[in-house]
Amino acid sequence: MAKGMKEKMWHKAMGLAAVVVFVGFGLVVINLFRWQIVRGEELSNAALDQSLQSTTLSAMRGTIYDSTGKILAQSASVWTVVLEPAYFSYYDDPDATRRKVASGLAPILELDEEEIYEKTQGNSYFVYLKRRVETSVRDEINKFLEDNGISAGVRLIEDYKRYYPYGQVASTVLGFTGTDGQGLEGLELQYDTELRGTAGRLISAQNALGTDMPFEYEQYIEAEDGYNLVLTIDETVQSILEKYLAEGVEQFKVKNGAVAILMDVDTGGILGMATTPSYDPNDPFTIQDKNLLAQIDELPKDERDEAFNQAQLKQWRNKAVTDTYYPGSVFKMVTYAMGLEEGVVTEDSTFTCTGSITVPGWNDPIGCWYHAGHGTETLRQGLYNSCNPWAIHVGQLVGGKTFAKYREAFGFTESTGIDLPGEALTLYHSEQELELVASNLAVESFGQNFSITPVHMITAAATIANGGYLVTPHVMDRIVDQEGNIVKTADTSYRRQVVSQETCDVIIDVLRQNVEEGTATGGYVAGYRVCGKTGTSEKVAQHNEDPSKPMEYIASYCGFAPAEDPQYALLVFFDEPDDDTNGGYNGGNAVAGPYFAKMMGEILPYLGVEAQYSDEEYAVLDTVAPNVTGMTLDEAYAALEEAGLSYSVVGDESDGSIQVTAQVPASGGAAPKEGKVVLYTNGYDEDATYVTVPDFSGYDVTNASYVASINQLQISVSGSSSAAAEVTGQSVAAGEQVQIGTVITLSFVDNTNAETGDTVGTA
């Protein structure tokens, strides 16, 4: 081949090679630019994610305290059990060690041994075995590991579990948390962000094969614990409300739950908020009502789950906040305050009640609960007689536009602002509907046919009690960090002034008189000047849905004390009491009044409100039984005579030196003034020293005392002191066996002037 041809071919080959090299190198450069510059950060993060495993470390949830410092909810340490399979390969006999770990942990953790053994296989350094085991279980695991010389392969990581030390107390206020520690109901939900804190992280590395690397490659980011809540709720007050609310539900066979709310009238702080049904937040998914649970179990399988879910939701509901109701005659205190403030009525104003009133747009006359009519009444008499026509008359004088203005000013048309989840919207007639349809204004004037929450009503009552200022109800007093520093406090400033002090003074005095001699005597508390108003509202909307069923009622009682300087307001209501349980009386005075009195009778002394007894009250005031157990009979006789009490002896009384082995009432127990203490010298004998409690229902004081005496019992009088008052409740149920001399507390209510259902009539 010619020399020139060879050179020519060599140049072509070199050129082609150069092109190939240039193109190839260019592609490499382009790809390097693409992977390292354009997608470098993305791939770097992906590689990091692939090589790191992040495990969330729970923060300790903040503690919830009551106003006195009692712990209502707290988080305590529990433990997550983790296996580290890769470490087992370092033991002399790896498989034997795996077997030993599986057989040892299975009974402690109540897990299947073979499943644990399977999880000990492999090269991972982190495998979950069981979460949230108690400290006692952790201690068992540590002892097992120590006894068997297992230093690696099993790990315990601290976690937290929520506890509620007082069980069902304030459960619908507190709420509960889910499996991951998040708030699901109540305050736990409302303040979840503040309580839960910030979770930490355990970041562990993985090698190129995806195997976890040892712990020296881990990074630990500490969790930040949540803030603590200090509430306005007082556990003692709360327990008193719950005790008597449950007693009332049982006594009157209440079908649809009950509510009791105690509020500081000046600040809006809620000291107690009790509702039924309730639940145990330590076990919130268990239905507490055993009868309901039995009914659910009897349902067809396809209906059972839905019924169970509905039952859970019902017991979790805070009826005081999430449910609305017709307030009934309790609302009349607001209507009369409107009229006084506007000057359309005065204390000297009069109106004649004929037993009903005709209102345009309403087919039938709207009746007064006292069908014969009250006759001519002053404003004061109209309110404490709970006269429907008088309230309608005030509403008509005020007019629809002004009525709507005050309704808004009292806070009924908006949220109260309470710091609990799920507050219900109120339902009411618009201003135009009040002005154009006289019947709408008429029924709203005495608390019918519009719906509010119990929290709305207690807030309005507090407005009248504190001199006319609208407060914001709240249950959180302050939020503090783990060092006790205050992070936030509740706003206790007044939202606005609604009515004047002068108007409030009139309403307060009328409501005081109402308890002493009007339609609210059921709420009378000896030693305290209590203001009270009853309500007996018809559940009209429910009845209209099925007129074949009898009308149901809500029996309520709302008031405040002491009258001379109101400090605390209390609302109590029972939703659908059974008429047959109280001699046909279903009204607020007969049903809710006695329980208002029982609650206030314990709460006011506890809160430091001093009792001031009249001469009449002091004359029948209970005394305290001295401690004479262990004394000789002669010593006991002398001590009881000094205390103004008589005595009788059960057992051997032949010698004054014989020792007293027991006494009834017990030391420190209530004993009627000039009552008796029964002394036992031979111990208790069920046949000889126990008697059956009679049914005192319907007796007046004189007859109740006689019945108690012939049954070798004593009575303590609670409630109305009127001669017409009758027993509506007793502290020990009829038919129970008690020791001779036992004191039975009887609740007396004067139903002579007790209102019955608020008769609305038909549209």
Side-chain angles (χ1 to χ4, degrees):
M1 183 179 294
K3 183 178 181 181
M5 181 62 73
K6 285 183 178 181
E7 288 181 357
K8 193 174 182 179
M9 290 180 67
W10 184 81
H11 284 301
K12 284 183 178 180
M14 289 298 291
L16 183 60
V19 170
V20 171
V21 170
F22 180 78
V23 171
F25 184 74
L27 290 172
V28 171
V29 171
I30 290 170
N31 278 302
L32 285 172
F33 180 80
R34 177 187 174 195
W35 297 117
Q36 293 193 13
I37 304 301
V38 177
R39 300 188 62 191
E41 184 176 355
E42 174 191 345
L43 295 174
S44 177
N45 290 335
L48 187 63
D49 289 342
Q50 192 173 25
S51 64
L52 296 177
Q53 174 177 296
S54 178
T55 303
T56 299
L57 301 176
S58 301
M60 186 171 73
R61 194 170 179 85
T63 300
I64 301 178
Y65 299 92
D66 87 333
S67 60
T68 68
K70 294 178 183 176
I71 294 175
L72 301 180
Q74 69 179 146
S75 293
S77 292
V78 289
W79 304 86
T80 297
V81 185
V82 172
L83 294 176
E84 302 167 311
Y87 282 120
F88 290 115
S89 62
Y90 294 103
Y91 288 95
D92 293 338
D93 190 342
D95 196 61
T97 304
R98 293 188 183 100
R99 285 290 181 188
K100 185 184 293 183
V101 166
S103 63
L105 293 184
I108 297 173
L109 296 176
E110 298 179 346
L111 296 175
D112 182 74
E113 182 178 333
E114 283 303 314
E115 288 183 8
I116 297 176
Y117 176 71
E118 288 297 321
K119 290 185 177 182
T120 62
Q121 310 294 318
N123 297 317
S124 174
Y125 287 90
F126 197 98
V127 175
Y128 281 113
L129 186 56
K130 190 170 184 178
R131 301 179 189 232
R132 298 199 171 190
V133 302
E134 301 292 342
T135 299
S136 59
V137 176
R138 178 209 62 177
D139 293 342
E140 285 188 66
I141 293 173
N142 283 335
K143 186 176 187 306
F144 162 74
L145 297 176
E146 183 179 350
D147 291 347
N148 290 274
I150 298 171
S151 58
V154 180
R155 187 171 178 182
L156 291 149
I157 299 174
E158 189 174 19
D159 199 351
Y160 301 100
K161 181 180 178 180
R162 204 66 164 162
Y163 292 94
Y164 302 88
Y166 289 91
Q168 289 189 213
V169 174
S171 60
T172 55
V173 175
L174 295 173
F176 58 93
T177 59
T179 55
D180 293 328
Q182 76 279 22
L184 295 181
E185 292 286 344
L187 288 169
E188 295 280 25
L189 173 60
Q190 183 76 18
Y191 288 101
D192 185 57
T193 301
E194 292 82 358
L195 287 166
R196 70 186 176 199
T198 304
R201 288 294 212 194
L202 175 63
I203 302 173
S204 57
Q206 294 180 326
N207 60 25
L209 298 176
T211 302
D212 294 335
M213 298 179 71
F215 64 86
E216 58 261 30
Y217 294 98
E218 293 177 346
Q219 182 180 2
Y220 182 84
I221 302 173
E222 191 171 355
E224 295 181 14
D225 294 340
Y227 292 140
N228 301 325
L229 295 185
V230 180
L231 307 183
T232 58
I233 297 288
D234 183 312
E235 186 276 330
T236 299
V237 171
Q238 180 73 26
S239 294
I240 292 170
L241 296 183
E242 292 185 7
K243 174 180 66 174
Y244 286 122
L245 205 64
E247 185 181 309
V249 168
E250 175 68 21
Q251 178 182 350
F252 298 117
K253 294 181 171 53
V254 177
K255 307 182 195 70
N256 200 36
V259 171
I261 311 170
L262 186 79
M263 175 186 283
D264 183 316
V265 302
D266 292 316
T267 67
I270 303 293
L271 284 76
M273 179 181 283
T275 62
T276 64
S278 63
Y279 61 96
D280 184 350
N282 294 299
D283 185 20
F285 298 99
T286 295
I287 304 301
Q288 298 296 311
D289 188 332
K290 302 305 179 187
N291 292 329
L292 177 59
L293 196 58
Q295 293 172 16
I296 293 173
D297 289 340
E298 293 176 0
L299 292 174
K301 188 174 181 180
D302 58 336
E303 299 178 19
R304 204 173 301 155
D305 288 346
E306 177 62 23
F308 188 84
N309 291 337
Q310 290 302 314
Q312 283 183 330
L313 292 173
K314 184 176 181 179
Q315 74 175 14
W316 295 340
R317 289 177 70 86
N318 185 343
K319 191 176 176 71
V321 176
T322 62
D323 291 12
T324 60
Y325 78 116
Y326 294 170
S329 291
V330 167
F331 185 79
K332 288 173 183 173
M333 68 173 80
V334 175
T335 301
Y336 279 75
M338 296 180 191
L340 287 169
E341 189 69 16
E342 284 298 303
V344 297
V345 289
T346 68
E347 281 194 81
D348 298 325
S349 298
T350 60
F351 175 81
T352 301
C353 169
T354 62
S356 64
I357 186 171
T358 301
V359 176
W362 210 254
N363 292 339
D364 297 328
I366 297 178
C368 184
W369 67 268
Y370 187 57
H371 302 304
H374 290 103
T376 300
E377 307 166 281
T378 64
L379 176 142
R380 176 178 291 267
Q381 292 170 324
L383 180 52
Y384 76 62
N385 284 334
S386 198
C387 178
N388 287 348
W390 230 117
I392 293 171
H393 173 61
V394 175
Q396 290 173 331
L397 293 175
V398 169
K401 183 175 182 180
T402 303
F403 187 95
K405 180 188 75 172
Y406 278 100
R407 189 179 57 188
E408 180 178 349
F410 271 101
F412 291 115
T413 61
E414 60 186 348
S415 167
T416 64
I418 191 169
D419 51 340
L420 286 169
E423 183 176 1
L425 297 174
T426 55
L427 299 172
Y428 50 88
H429 298 105
S430 68
E431 178 184 321
Q432 291 74 20
E433 289 172 327
L434 291 177
E435 288 192 282
L436 296 175
V437 183
S439 57
N440 290 337
L441 177 59
V443 293
E444 282 207 17
S445 296
F446 61 95
Q448 279 289 156
N449 290 22
F450 73 102
S451 299
I452 60 173
T453 68
V455 172
H456 279 96
M457 191 63 245
I458 192 71
T459 304
T463 301
I464 291 172
N466 69 28
Y469 297 93
L470 186 67
V471 295
T472 301
H474 58 278
V475 293
M476 181 276 289
D477 181 67
R478 59 192 182 275
I479 300 173
V480 298
D481 64 19
Q482 294 298 323
E483 285 71 47
N485 301 308
I486 296 177
V487 176
K488 182 181 179 181
T489 58
D491 182 4
T492 59
S493 60
Y494 297 136
R495 291 160 66 184
R496 55 183 168 268
Q497 185 169 11
V498 181
V499 291
S500 66
Q501 180 70 59
E502 292 73 21
T503 291
C504 294
D505 287 343
V506 173
I507 301 297
I508 289 169
D509 194 55
V510 175
L511 296 184
R512 174 200 56 77
Q513 186 178 2
N514 193 26
V515 175
E516 294 174 0
E517 60 185 69
T519 56
T521 56
Y524 167 82
V525 181
Y528 295 96
R529 308 287 79 80
V530 175
C531 303
K533 184 69 194 77
T534 62
T536 312
S537 49
E538 295 178 326
K539 301 183 74 169
V540 177
Q542 178 175 301
H543 179 67
N544 289 342
E545 290 178 3
D546 188 357
S548 65
K549 293 183 178 179
M551 180 74 76
E552 296 285 1
Y553 298 88
I554 293 176
S556 63
Y557 196 107
C558 185
F560 35 86
E564 54 272 19
D565 179 23
Q567 297 176 44
Y568 304 104
L570 174 62
L571 170 66
V572 181
F573 86 70
F574 296 96
D575 193 346
E576 300 184 13
D578 191 328
D579 292 353
D580 297 332
T581 60
N582 200 28
Y585 291 108
N586 58 9
N589 187 60
V591 175
Y595 284 98
F596 176 96
K598 290 179 180 182
M599 293 172 185
M600 280 295 207
E602 281 194 39
I603 289 170
L604 292 175
Y606 166 75
L607 294 176
V609 181
E610 187 176 352
Q612 298 177 357
Y613 295 100
S614 66
D615 292 341
E616 293 80 5
E617 290 172 334
Y618 189 77
V620 296
L621 186 66
D622 287 347
T623 187
V624 175
N627 184 12
V628 297
T629 302
M631 293 182 179
T632 65
L633 283 175
D634 285 343
E635 291 170 336
Y637 297 159
L640 292 173
E641 287 174 358
E642 185 178 353
L645 297 168
S646 60
Y647 50 83
S648 64
V649 178
V650 176
D652 187 1
E653 56 179 320
S654 60
D655 187 342
S657 64
I658 294 174
Q659 190 178 57
V660 176
T661 59
Q663 66 181 82
V664 177
S667 171
K673 187 162 287 187
E674 300 181 358
K676 179 187 293 185
V677 174
V678 179
L679 307 177
Y680 292 80
T681 59
N682 296 336
Y684 298 129
D685 181 284
E686 188 167 347
D687 294 329
T689 64
Y690 280 73
V691 294
T692 302
V693 177
D695 185 356
F696 290 96
S697 299
Y699 288 124
D700 59 18
V701 172
T702 301
N703 286 307
S705 299
Y706 172 74
V707 170
S709 176
I710 62 176
N711 284 279
Q712 302 182 75
L713 298 170
Q714 303 180 82
I715 65 168
S716 174
V717 176
S718 173
S720 176
S721 58
S722 166
E726 297 178 347
V727 176
T728 62
Q730 55 192 81
S731 60
V732 181
E736 288 196 19
Q737 296 287 305
V738 298
Q739 294 157 4
I740 290 173
T742 296
V743 179
I744 311 295
T745 300
L746 302 180
S747 298
F748 287 86
V749 174
D750 182 356
N751 285 315
T752 305
N753 295 319
E755 63 174 338
T756 54
D758 292 328
T759 306
V760 175
T762 57

